[in-house]
Amino acid sequence: MKQFISRNLALAIVAGASLWVPAALAQDPVRIGFVNTDRLLRDATPAKAAQTKLEQEFSRREREIDDAGAALKTASERFEREAPTMSESQRLTRQRQLMEQDREFQRKRREFQEDLAARKQEELQQILDRANRVVKQVAEAEKYDVILQEAVYVNPRLDITDQVIKALNAGK
């Protein structure tokens, strides 16, 4: 009998606690936020500054490559016009020169693209690191439980991207 009463008392405590826990959770709802990373990288001042910096850093090389491509095209067109009047040895020499010029152009263009991609990745990583710190600060200040950066659908009222962009632009 004593065992029956202890068991019923334990069940009553568990039942009472299970009623109390949802009530406690209902008083403190989970706060969820969403940050649109694409928009952040497009609209934030540091992202725009990084884009401008990259354009300035690589514009000279891009112009040089464009000029080399135009020169190669001009030389190739001139060769096509003049080839019928050239001797066989002249034609072979010019073809080899054009092929060498084309290889050099392709190499420079590939190196440019690789360098640009590497620098873009460096700048992007710096911006993302700063943005993640700002997101964390906003989350802690506003008492968010979770902040998502990718989702299939997000209700606009959960979107805190503007708040993060403002904080990022302020240099926090």
Side-chain angles (χ1 to χ4, degrees):
M1 184 70 155
K2 190 175 189 181
Q3 196 175 28
F4 178 73
I5 293 173
S6 309
R7 189 170 172 194
N8 283 341
L9 182 60
L11 286 173
I13 291 171
V14 169
S18 66
L19 291 174
W20 177 78
V21 170
L25 288 177
Q27 292 172 356
D28 193 18
V30 175
R31 288 203 61 198
I32 298 173
F34 173 76
V35 174
N36 184 329
T37 307
D38 291 337
R39 202 171 111 221
L40 191 138
L41 292 174
R42 184 183 62 238
D43 297 345
T45 302
K48 290 176 183 178
Q51 181 64 34
T52 302
K53 178 180 174 184
L54 287 172
E55 287 170 3
Q56 290 173 350
E57 186 176 328
F58 285 91
S59 64
R60 183 185 56 79
R61 277 180 66 188
E62 187 174 26
R63 269 193 314 277
E64 288 173 359
I65 289 172
D66 290 345
D67 292 346
L72 179 61
K73 182 179 178 187
T74 302
S76 179
E77 289 170 350
R78 191 174 71 231
F79 172 73
E80 293 296 323
R81 282 193 313 272
E82 297 173 357
T85 61
M86 293 179 166
S87 69
E88 185 67 26
S89 64
Q90 287 176 322
R91 195 170 32 249
L92 288 174
T93 302
R94 291 272 300 272
Q95 276 181 323
R96 275 189 238 116
Q97 288 172 343
L98 283 173
M99 288 174 40
E100 181 60 35
Q101 192 177 358
D102 183 55
R103 270 195 296 272
E104 183 67 18
F105 170 72
Q106 297 297 335
R107 182 188 62 77
K108 285 182 179 181
R109 187 172 68 178
R110 187 177 48 252
E111 286 176 357
F112 170 78
Q113 290 170 339
E114 290 171 358
D115 291 348
L116 179 60
R119 284 289 293 127
K120 276 184 179 179
Q121 186 60 37
E122 288 173 16
E123 291 293 327
L124 177 68
Q125 192 58 53
Q126 289 176 0
I127 293 165
L128 286 175
D129 289 345
R130 267 182 75 190
N132 285 335
R133 283 192 304 272
V134 168
V135 167
K136 187 176 180 190
Q137 289 170 354
V138 169
E140 289 172 352
E142 301 291 322
K143 302 208 183 327
Y144 280 95
D145 295 306
V146 65
I147 302 289
L148 304 173
Q149 288 184 324
E150 289 187 34
V152 174
Y153 171 77
V154 175
N155 187 319
R157 69 181 173 80
L158 299 177
D159 193 341
I160 63 167
T161 306
D162 288 333
Q163 190 176 0
V164 173
I165 289 173
K166 286 177 187 171
L168 195 57
N169 289 350
K172 291 185 178 182

